[in-house]
């Protein structure tokens, strides 16, 4: 039996882990339902919504843990929700088993993320050895395969093959360059890594769906950046189609990388439709996200409290 301050922190961790489990189940159910419908919201709002999907369960679970551990914070809630023996923790109870399982899973997923980052950086170092700098100070890879992509975590940069540059006009290559510049300025490869880590706590199929949607939002925002620099959306779409056409000999599995942003790989049809659409969709209200946080926190609080009391009734520990 562990007592005192250490027990308090372990109980907080247990409550937060249970709340996270409940929150992810709830958000997963909502996402599976919403994925069957077309949401007409802008790329920026979809990006914010996707980050909220993977992060809100963590914030809600942490808030629920604090409320359950210190119910007097909200006054009257003390009689509605609390955690038994908050200053005592038994590693051989269901609390201990669940906490150890959560820490093991989290450690495994974080380790996997670090391995992906290490592999990505090793590939980047090899790539840098193959690059030349052209007159415009762009990183050019002497290769026939037409490719353009952004790679790197803390210092991302765009890379272009000579095979792509030689088959594009100066105007088309400038659109490609601006697109990759946007990815580098926004640190999109690093954000992909962080987002994928949080998405890995969701069921595998849903996690893959969330990662694809985030990649699409990043590509659409990079397209929008090129548009803000003065290029028409029609010309950007034409350039995207041309790069896709001349690179269609490369299979996606040969080009794809979870931490690399390619110019003409991710969800071409959706990007073209978004570029040529007059209606980019609505923006989300911050009040909606705030409301989702309150509802999710309340659900985690009630569910964890009910689960705890049910288990306490069935098992003695």
């Amino acid at each position: 039996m562990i007592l005192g301050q250490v027990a308090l922190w372990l109980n907080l961790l247990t409550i937060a882990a249970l709340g996270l489990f409940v929150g992810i189940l709830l958000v997963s159910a909502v996402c599976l339902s919403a994925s069957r419908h077309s949401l007409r919201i802008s790329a920026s709002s979809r990006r914010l919504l996707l980050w909220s999907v993977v992060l809100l369960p963590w914030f809600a679970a942490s808030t629920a843990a604090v409320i359950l551990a210190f119910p007097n914070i909200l006054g009257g809630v003390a009689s509605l929700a609390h955690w038994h023996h908050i200053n005592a923790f038994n590693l051989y109870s269901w609390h201990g088993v669940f906490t150890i399982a959560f820490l093991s899973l989290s450690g495994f997923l974080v380790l996997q993320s670090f391995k992906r980052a290490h592999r990505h950086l090793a590939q980047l170092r090899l790539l840098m050895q193959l690059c030349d700098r052209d007159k415009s100070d762009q990183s050019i890879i002497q290769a026939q395969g037409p490719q353009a992509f952004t790679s790197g975590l803390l210092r991302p940069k765009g890379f272009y093959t000579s095979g792509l540059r030689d088959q594009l006009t100066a105007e088309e290559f400038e659109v490609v360059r601006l697109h990759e510049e946007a990815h580098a300025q926004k640190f999109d490869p690093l954000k992909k890594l962080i987002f994928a880590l949080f998405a890995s706590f969701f069921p595998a199929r849903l996690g893959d769906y969330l990662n694809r949607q985030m990649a699409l939002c990043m590509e659409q925002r990079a397209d929008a950046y090129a548009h803000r620099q003065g290029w028409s959306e029609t010309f950007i779409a034409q350039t995207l189609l041309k790069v896709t056409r001349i690179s269609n000999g490369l299979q996606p599995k040969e080009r794809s990388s979870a931490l690399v942003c390619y110019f003409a790989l991710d969800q071409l049809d959706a990007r073209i439709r978004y570029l040529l659409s007059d209606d980019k969709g609505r923006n989300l209200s911050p009040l909606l996200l705030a409301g989702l946080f309150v509802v999710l926190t309340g659900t985690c609080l009630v569910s964890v409290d009910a689960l705890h009391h049910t288990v306490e009734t069935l098992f003695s520990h």
Side-chain angles (χ1 to χ4, degrees):
M1 181 72 70
I2 300 174
L3 302 174
Q5 193 71 22
V6 175
L8 173 62
W9 284 106
L10 287 173
N11 277 307
L12 280 171
L13 178 59
T14 302
I15 300 169
L18 284 169
L20 179 63
F21 176 73
V22 172
I24 287 177
L25 283 180
L26 179 61
V27 170
S28 297
V30 173
C31 287
L32 289 174
S33 176
S35 65
R36 301 186 180 96
H37 305 281
S38 178
L39 300 178
R40 295 296 301 171
I41 54 178
S42 65
S44 295
S45 290
R46 275 186 283 114
R47 175 179 170 275
L48 177 59
L49 182 60
L50 287 167
W51 277 112
S52 299
V53 164
V54 298
L55 293 179
L56 278 184
W58 292 81
F59 292 131
S62 300
T63 304
V66 173
I67 294 174
L68 277 172
F70 308 103
N72 290 325
I73 290 177
L74 296 183
V77 79
S79 61
L80 301 176
H82 64 281
W83 189 263
H84 295 163
H85 42 70
I86 193 67
N87 292 309
F89 188 87
N90 187 352
L91 280 175
Y92 299 101
S93 67
W94 71 274
H95 294 172
V97 172
F98 187 84
T99 302
I100 291 172
F102 172 73
L103 290 175
S104 299
L105 174 63
S106 299
F108 172 76
L109 294 177
V110 170
L111 179 61
Q112 289 291 99
S113 184
F114 273 110
K115 288 174 63 176
R116 291 170 60 197
H118 180 268
R119 183 165 58 248
H120 174 79
L121 293 176
Q123 293 171 347
L124 179 62
R125 286 192 293 270
L126 178 61
L127 189 63
M128 293 297 295
Q129 298 175 9
L130 303 175
C131 285
D132 298 324
R133 309 295 292 188
D134 66 2
K135 296 179 180 179
S136 302
D137 200 34
Q138 303 301 320
S139 298
I140 303 296
I141 304 170
Q142 297 301 323
Q144 292 302 311
Q147 295 187 50
F149 57 91
T150 299
S151 184
L153 299 179
L154 298 180
R155 290 185 292 179
K157 59 179 62 180
F159 296 89
Y160 317 88
T161 62
S162 57
L164 175 67
R165 181 191 57 183
D166 295 344
Q167 297 184 66
L168 298 180
T169 66
E171 293 79 9
E172 291 167 340
F173 186 76
E174 178 64 9
V175 167
V176 176
R177 187 194 68 79
L178 288 171
H179 179 99
E180 301 306 330
E181 181 181 282
H183 283 308
Q185 289 182 356
K186 297 292 185 180
F187 293 89
D188 281 345
L190 177 61
K191 290 178 181 178
K192 273 190 170 185
L193 175 67
I194 296 173
F195 184 86
L197 172 60
F198 284 104
S200 65
F201 285 86
F202 286 77
R205 290 182 62 183
L206 179 58
D208 290 341
Y209 172 79
L210 294 174
N211 283 319
R212 291 196 306 272
Q213 291 302 309
M214 177 56 73
L216 175 59
C217 289
M218 289 180 175
E219 296 302 327
Q220 289 173 334
R221 282 165 55 87
D223 292 337
Y225 175 82
H227 174 58
R228 290 196 299 272
Q229 305 309 307
W231 298 96
S232 72
E233 292 173 317
T234 301
F235 185 73
I236 296 171
Q238 290 173 346
T239 302
L240 179 57
L241 286 171
K242 180 176 180 178
V243 174
T244 302
R245 177 176 56 79
I246 64 178
S247 61
N248 61 7
L250 295 176
Q251 298 299 318
K253 66 180 181 180
E254 296 173 338
R255 298 183 294 164
S256 181
S257 171
L259 305 186
V260 175
C261 300
Y262 287 92
F263 177 74
L265 176 59
D266 290 308
Q267 307 184 62
L268 176 65
D269 290 343
R271 289 172 62 188
I272 294 294
R273 287 197 302 268
Y274 190 79
L275 275 169
L276 301 181
S277 174
D278 293 329
D279 180 13
K280 303 301 183 184
R282 300 187 300 269
N283 291 322
L284 285 179
S285 169
L287 292 177
L288 175 61
L289 297 180
L292 291 175
F293 170 73
V294 172
V295 170
L296 190 58
T297 300
T299 303
C300 290
L301 180 64
V302 173
S303 300
V304 171
D305 182 62
L307 175 63
H308 179 244
H309 282 83
T310 299
V311 176
E312 290 288 317
T313 301
L314 296 176
F315 301 99
S316 176
H317 61 282

